[in-house]
Amino acid sequence: MKTSGRSVRCGLVGNIQGYSTEDGPGIRTTVFLMGCPLRCRWCSNPEFLKPEPVTMVFGNGQQRVGEWMSPDTLTERLLRDRIFYEESDGGVTFSGGEAASQAEFVLACARLLHKEGIHVCLDTSGCCDARSFSALLSGVDLVLFDLKAADPMLHKALTGRDNAQILENLSILGASRIPWRLRLVVVPGCNDARTDLELRLQTAAGLANPPEAVDVLLYHSLGEGKYAALGLPYSLHAVPAPDPGLKEWVQDRARALGLQPGWFG
Ligand code: SF4
């Protein structure tokens, strides 16, 4: 393996998960990076929110989360799964937390992976400064853009921040030639109003470089136990049942706007 050459600071890696099938095409290894500027009420990965190592306490056991790794060390580890990438047209996905909050590190790793012919995907909320976002686009093959809400006030109420910077980055992506997919994480009672979903779809469809597909991911409460392990409150206990016709409605609206419905999980 060639090394990164110029020295790039280490990145803080929360987890490396092999055999992922929902984080991009084929079989992928997903790298969860530590640190996220948002605080989505439904976040299922609260252990990756802080930009520093954390300790989770389960009963009498403890689990440390967060390991500093150089781009070379991480890439060596990711190349162990090469056989899966090659046999499935898969690759590596950088997620989090917010992968874009460690943009320089992700870029350095992406360059090393590209030298090995590995496909690289960025899974992002788009919440980072425009300079970092543009730089990242120059180094990845596919972007999964998770737009939480179109309405700025709703976005702020659900995540702690409005979406002005996120929409600016979305317009940068929409003016680029980078393939991307719109991800809609739908949380009943939070961001499942059809008016806001319609706005998100229309915003994406109106871009010069529209998404190649729209993926809908329904909320799950799998992260709930992690909040207790971190000593954090969990505020989303009574989530109503999802609107049974919503997936079909999103599919229909996506098609009507000239977009391709994608994965529905
Ligand atoms: S952007 Fe992702 S990692 Fe960050 S708070 Fe929201 S769901 Fe959690």
Side-chain angles (χ1 to χ4, degrees):
M1 190 193 83
K2 292 172 187 163
T3 64
S4 55
R6 175 176 92 81
S7 149
V8 170
R9 278 188 303 154
C10 289
L12 188 58
V13 177
N15 193 20
I16 301 169
Q17 183 180 307
Y19 220 79
S20 302
T21 54
E22 292 184 350
D23 295 331
I27 297 172
R28 313 191 69 80
T29 297
T30 302
V31 180
F32 294 91
L33 292 161
M34 301 286 291
C36 180
L38 299 183
R39 290 294 179 270
C40 304
R41 293 186 60 201
W42 53 85
C43 182
S44 58
N45 292 326
E47 70 274 39
F48 304 141
L49 294 180
K50 286 191 176 176
E52 61 198 46
V54 297
T55 301
M56 301 175 83
V57 181
F58 297 98
N60 293 327
Q62 291 193 347
Q63 183 187 335
R64 188 90 169 143
V65 179
E67 180 183 352
W68 291 101
M69 299 178 86
S70 72
D72 292 331
T73 305
L74 177 59
T75 304
E76 290 273 7
R77 162 64 190 83
L78 295 169
L79 288 174
R80 283 189 221 155
D81 296 341
R82 184 201 282 269
I83 184 79
F84 297 113
Y85 315 148
E86 288 177 351
E87 291 196 349
S88 68
D89 286 330
V92 169
T93 296
F94 288 93
S95 181
E98 175 48 66
S101 65
Q102 299 190 52
E104 191 186 2
F105 176 71
V106 171
L107 263 178
C109 296
R111 284 194 196 106
L112 291 172
L113 289 164
H114 280 161
K115 284 179 188 166
E116 301 289 334
I118 310 289
H119 181 274
V120 177
C121 181
L122 171 69
D123 182 4
T124 181
S125 69
C127 191
C128 66
D129 65 274
R131 208 172 120 258
S132 297
F133 191 75
S134 300
L136 270 173
L137 292 189
S138 71
V140 300
D141 303 297
L142 176 70
V143 174
L144 310 177
F145 198 107
D146 174 8
L147 187 56
K148 320 277 183 190
D151 178 77
M153 295 311 292
L154 177 64
H155 198 282
K156 184 161 188 180
L158 296 174
T159 71
R161 288 202 184 192
D162 72 33
N163 55 9
Q165 181 68 64
I166 289 166
L167 293 176
E168 182 186 342
N169 287 336
L170 183 61
S171 66
I172 291 171
L173 179 59
S176 76
R177 293 186 174 188
I178 308 294
W180 67 286
R181 302 177 74 101
L182 177 66
R183 309 276 269 188
L184 299 173
V185 177
V186 178
V187 187
C190 286
N191 66 351
D192 61 337
R194 294 184 184 200
T195 44
D196 197 88
L197 285 163
E198 173 75 22
L199 261 175
R200 276 176 267 168
L201 289 167
Q202 284 184 9
T203 302
L207 296 167
N209 174 32
E212 62 181 30
V214 179
D215 303 320
V216 175
L217 296 97
L218 283 181
Y219 164 79
H220 63 74
S221 59
L222 297 179
E224 192 169 344
K226 299 183 194 170
Y227 282 79
L230 289 159
L232 296 173
Y234 186 72
S235 61
L236 221 58
H237 291 293
V239 176
D243 172 347
L246 194 64
K247 276 189 193 176
E248 290 68 27
W249 180 83
V250 174
Q251 281 177 315
D252 289 346
R253 288 305 305 147
R255 279 197 202 91
L257 291 162
L259 301 173
Q260 180 72 31
W263 304 310
F264 287 81

